[in-house]
Amino acid sequence: MIWSNAQLRREDNLSMLPRMDISDLPQRLERAGFNQAALARFMGLDPASLSKTIKGQRQLKAHEWAKIEEFFASNGGGETEGSVTAMAPRRRTPQSRIPVYGYAATGDDDRIAFAAGQVVDWLDPPPTWNGTGDLIAIRVLGDSMEPRLFTGEMVLAQVGLPPARDRDCIVEFLDGTALVKTYQGQKDGHVFLRQFNPDKQVALQATQVKALHAIIWRR
């Protein structure tokens, strides 16, 4: 959906949009067979921001309401609140193949091309995976994470799963690139990471980061 400038200026006026109680969103996602992380990724939000919105700790903007409806329309066959399709429970189909990213992004030895069409390979899910959420994989580039991770080593992450402090993660940027680093926290509009070669802290503007995905397997 394309919003006019006039509509964007009136984004606090939600009367133009379909009525939906935001607190009902988790149930609506469950009925459609999706999770909050998938919706947050579609909306370009950090999963934590969407969670705060659902809890009433953050105000939802009008264009974000539109993205929610677009998400359900594109993934649920035009499902609308109160329809038979919305009310019928549907089981989510587990991910059968994992996309692998590994092309070097232009102009940076560490960054990996992470946009559509940049998949270099596909993997079968690990035998211990329970099918919850979606997985992505990256072949590490560069030597900045040695000796923790080496170039060419494969890491698997769960999409939208927040990393714990001092655990490795994939940092996805708004420009369609990604980095593999160790997460150290967020403060004052920055995301703090660690690399090991040389050993130093890396501070990124949070506005440049699209999402953080916790690494849960190494291969």
Side-chain angles (χ1 to χ4, degrees):
M1 177 181 294
I2 299 174
W3 289 79
S4 67
N5 290 334
Q7 286 174 313
L8 290 174
R9 286 194 297 269
R10 299 195 307 269
E11 67 176 3
D12 289 332
N13 180 8
L14 302 182
S15 61
M16 68 187 73
L17 296 169
R19 295 286 297 173
M20 183 182 76
D21 188 337
I22 193 65
S23 63
D24 293 335
L25 189 55
Q27 291 76 23
R28 191 177 179 191
L29 284 165
E30 183 178 358
R31 288 196 299 265
F34 295 96
N35 56 34
Q36 289 184 33
L39 176 57
R41 184 179 176 88
F42 183 84
M43 295 172 67
L45 287 177
D46 183 279
S49 295
L50 180 58
S51 180
K52 289 180 180 178
T53 304
I54 293 171
K55 294 176 182 177
Q57 300 170 355
R58 174 185 176 274
Q59 185 175 4
L60 193 69
K61 299 177 182 178
H63 72 274
E64 292 173 342
W65 284 88
K67 289 294 288 185
I68 291 174
E69 293 304 325
E70 183 183 347
F71 175 84
F72 284 108
S74 60
N75 290 296
E79 172 254 7
T80 57
E81 187 76 355
S83 69
V84 173
T85 304
M87 297 176 64
R90 292 188 291 165
R91 188 176 299 276
R92 180 184 180 277
T93 302
Q95 183 182 9
S96 60
R97 300 285 279 171
I98 302 169
V100 181
Y101 300 88
Y103 290 121
T106 303
D108 195 309
D109 291 339
D110 283 331
R111 292 212 188 189
I112 296 157
F114 200 63
Q118 299 295 333
V119 175
V120 299
D121 201 358
W122 295 87
L123 294 176
D124 291 326
T128 56
W129 182 51
N130 63 8
T132 301
D134 291 318
L135 302 180
I136 49 177
I138 275 184
R139 286 197 181 112
V140 177
L141 293 178
D143 59 4
S144 68
M145 290 295 286
E146 294 182 3
R148 189 177 180 98
L149 294 168
F150 291 87
T151 187
E153 189 170 356
M154 191 90 69
V155 294
L156 279 71
Q158 184 166 340
V159 174
L161 178 66
R165 185 179 176 86
D166 295 326
R167 300 301 296 268
D168 298 335
C169 70
I170 294 173
V171 184
E172 181 182 0
F173 294 92
L174 292 170
D175 66 359
T177 64
L179 281 174
V180 176
K181 298 294 181 189
T182 300
Y183 178 73
Q184 292 199 309
Q186 300 182 51
K187 186 178 180 181
D188 298 330
H190 288 81
V191 177
F192 294 98
L193 309 163
R194 182 186 176 192
Q195 67 174 44
F196 296 86
N197 184 31
D199 191 350
K200 66 177 183 179
Q201 187 179 71
V202 178
L204 301 173
Q205 292 283 345
T207 54
Q208 300 175 352
V209 177
K210 180 176 181 179
L212 299 170
H213 312 292
I215 291 174
I216 53 179
W217 280 286
R218 294 170 58 176
R219 296 182 62 156

